[in-house]
Amino acid sequence: MNSRAKLLVGTVLLSACGTLASAQPFQIVATETPPFSIPPDQWKSVARWSLPGSGSALTPLSTIPDGDVHDPIGVAFRTPTDLFISNRAGNGFQAGSISRFTLSSGGTIATKIAEFSQPGLVGPHEIAFNPITRELFAVAVNDGIWRWTFDSQGNVDTGTSFARNRAWRGVCIEPTGNYLYATAATGTVFRFQLNSNGSVTELASQNIPGASLLHFFSLGPVEGEIYVCDYGSSKVYRLQTNPVDGSFTVLQSINSTQVIDCAFSPDGLEMYAARHNSGGIDRFAFNSGTNTWSFVSTVTTPSMGCIAAYVPAACPADLTGEGFVEDSDFVVFAQAYNILDCEDGTMPIGCPADFNLDGVVDDSDFVIFVAAYDALVCS
């Protein structure tokens, strides 16, 4: 350890479709989403909680109110300060949208900065980011899978779509960024290959025995595992993906009443399963001896939609997650700088050294790194 080092907590992003890091305080974001189609006077808010670590009590934070969102359902983070919420707008045939928020003061304050839509985007549900290309994907309950890119300043570009004339519910992109999974309120997971030229190839779908109303996804604590929640059978299915062809096998099914989505603590020792009709968040503990999840308790909440866990931003240049920026972080940065392109297969997943999110690790990122290195201690 460098002599400049001090023992502090690092910062890492978690999302509904993200990977996990070392144990530390974190926050949970969950949409309050009643089932079925609902009128505007029944649209709800986005709930938020803070936790000092896995197994601890949930402390409520301020909600994101109705008005900033419009019948919210999907949750995704582009960065630890850049939060996106999809709006069903009644869950019927109304045009939907995606609201964007900046998080500040350790994630306690959410400020709306934008809202965007697209002609034909009706009833968007789950949203997720590709960890490699940084594209945003959304599935629509009435028509298609949508995708957006961002310019070097972080502005969203005009979206495109595929798999139209089909009703979707959930979406997830596995960590290599090559395969997209989608659900359609059936017992089937639909698979798509995301090609390097921007095209999409639909692959053979896979059925999950016993599933009937599959909805939302999460990437699990173990690399290559994804979880998909089945509202019909009241089960969370734990899947092991094959990075070669995007196929999967079922490892475990976990009982959770009317479960619609799930998320994980940063240390991967606790799972939070969001219940739809009845409301509530079921908490599960991971047993490393049996490699299984066991039910612990239920937190009372309104009817839930998507749920995500994340660690608030403090120090993106702390690439080793130790709470300070020093020589070990420079080694990691230099390796990424020499690779340059975030889409290079040798680049670390998520391209964490691309601080300005322009798709490459270059001199502009080095300027940001140097400033953090001189400051040393993460705030």
Side-chain angles (χ1 to χ4, degrees), residues 302-377:
S303 178
M304 294 277 93
C306 283
I307 186 170
Y310 84 108
V311 178
C315 203
D318 176 20
L319 297 170
T320 56
E322 297 173 292
F324 47 86
V325 181
E326 44 82 61
D327 291 351
S328 63
D329 300 293
F330 177 75
V331 171
V332 176
F333 179 84
Q335 292 171 342
Y337 183 91
N338 289 333
I339 296 171
L340 179 63
D341 191 342
C342 287
E343 295 191 32
D344 190 299
T346 62
M347 182 69 79
I349 290 176
C351 202
D354 177 22
F355 306 129
N356 64 358
L357 301 175
D358 63 357
V360 293
V361 179
D362 58 10
D363 291 347
S364 60
D365 299 295
F366 181 67
V367 170
I368 297 171
F369 179 85
V370 168
Y373 183 92
D374 288 342
L376 175 61
V377 178

Side-chain angles (χ1 to χ4, degrees), residues 40-349:
D41 62 358
Q42 295 181 25
W43 296 358
K44 305 299 182 181
S45 59
V46 178
R48 303 190 301 140
W49 298 270
S50 65
L51 298 85
S54 59
S56 59
L58 279 67
T59 300
L61 298 171
S62 61
T63 63
I64 298 175
D66 176 42
D68 282 353
V69 290
H70 316 288
D71 190 23
I73 186 163
V75 179
F77 288 87
R78 182 169 178 260
T79 73
T81 61
D82 200 5
L83 169 64
F84 292 71
I85 304 289
S86 61
N87 300 303
R88 299 187 308 179
N91 200 29
F93 292 93
Q94 302 86 351
S97 64
I98 297 175
S99 298
R100 186 176 186 179
F101 299 84
T102 291
L103 300 178
S104 57
S105 298
T108 60
I109 298 175
T111 304
K112 187 174 181 178
I113 60 171
E115 184 173 339
F116 60 94
S117 186
Q118 198 79 30
L121 180 65
V122 176
H125 272 50
E126 190 167 30
I127 55 178
F129 282 92
N130 186 318
I132 301 303
T133 67
R134 308 297 181 89
E135 283 182 286
L136 174 64
F137 288 82
V139 289
V141 72
N142 283 306
D143 189 6
I145 301 175
W146 298 76
R147 62 197 300 186
W148 295 267
T149 58
F150 296 79
D151 65 21
S152 59
Q153 284 73 46
N155 300 307
V156 64
D157 295 327
T158 301
T160 60
S161 60
F162 59 96
R164 299 296 299 270
N165 300 311
R166 297 158 71 177
W168 302 103
R169 296 298 190 280
V171 64
C172 186
I173 301 89
E174 47 80 43
T176 69
N178 293 325
Y179 298 100
L180 179 147
Y181 304 93
T183 60
T186 64
T188 301
V189 174
F190 297 86
R191 302 184 302 125
F192 298 84
Q193 183 170 325
L194 302 175
N195 303 313
S196 59
N197 63 2
S199 64
V200 177
T201 303
E202 185 164 6
L203 306 174
S205 60
Q206 288 188 243
N207 294 326
I208 296 181
S212 59
L213 285 172
L214 291 169
H215 270 64
F216 305 142
F217 292 93
S218 180
L219 294 193
V222 177
E223 186 80 7
E225 290 187 8
I226 63 174
Y227 290 65
V228 61
C229 299
D230 187 62
Y231 171 48
S233 64
S234 291
K235 292 183 183 296
V236 180
Y237 292 96
R238 179 183 175 191
L239 313 177
Q240 175 65 56
T241 61
N242 183 338
V244 175
D245 61 7
S247 62
F248 61 81
T249 55
V250 178
L251 297 179
Q252 183 186 3
S253 62
I254 304 138
N255 294 325
S256 179
T257 302
Q258 296 170 337
V259 63
I260 195 167
D261 196 16
C262 63
F264 299 88
S265 60
D267 57 12
L269 297 179
E270 190 169 26
M271 179 173 71
Y272 309 92
R275 296 162 61 163
H276 198 33
N277 288 34
S278 59
I281 298 175
D282 288 340
R283 304 180 71 161
F284 295 83
F286 184 69
N287 186 322
S288 59
T290 60
N291 191 31
T292 58
W293 293 95
S294 300
F295 174 77
V296 175
S297 63
T298 301
V299 178
T300 300
T301 71
S303 178
M304 294 277 93
C306 283
I307 186 170
Y310 84 108
V311 178
C315 203
D318 176 20
L319 297 170
T320 56
E322 297 173 292
F324 47 86
V325 181
E326 44 82 61
D327 291 351
S328 63
D329 300 293
F330 177 75
V331 171
V332 176
F333 179 84
Q335 292 171 342
Y337 183 91
N338 289 333
I339 296 171
L340 179 63
D341 191 342
C342 287
E343 295 191 32
D344 190 299
T346 62
M347 182 69 79
I349 290 176

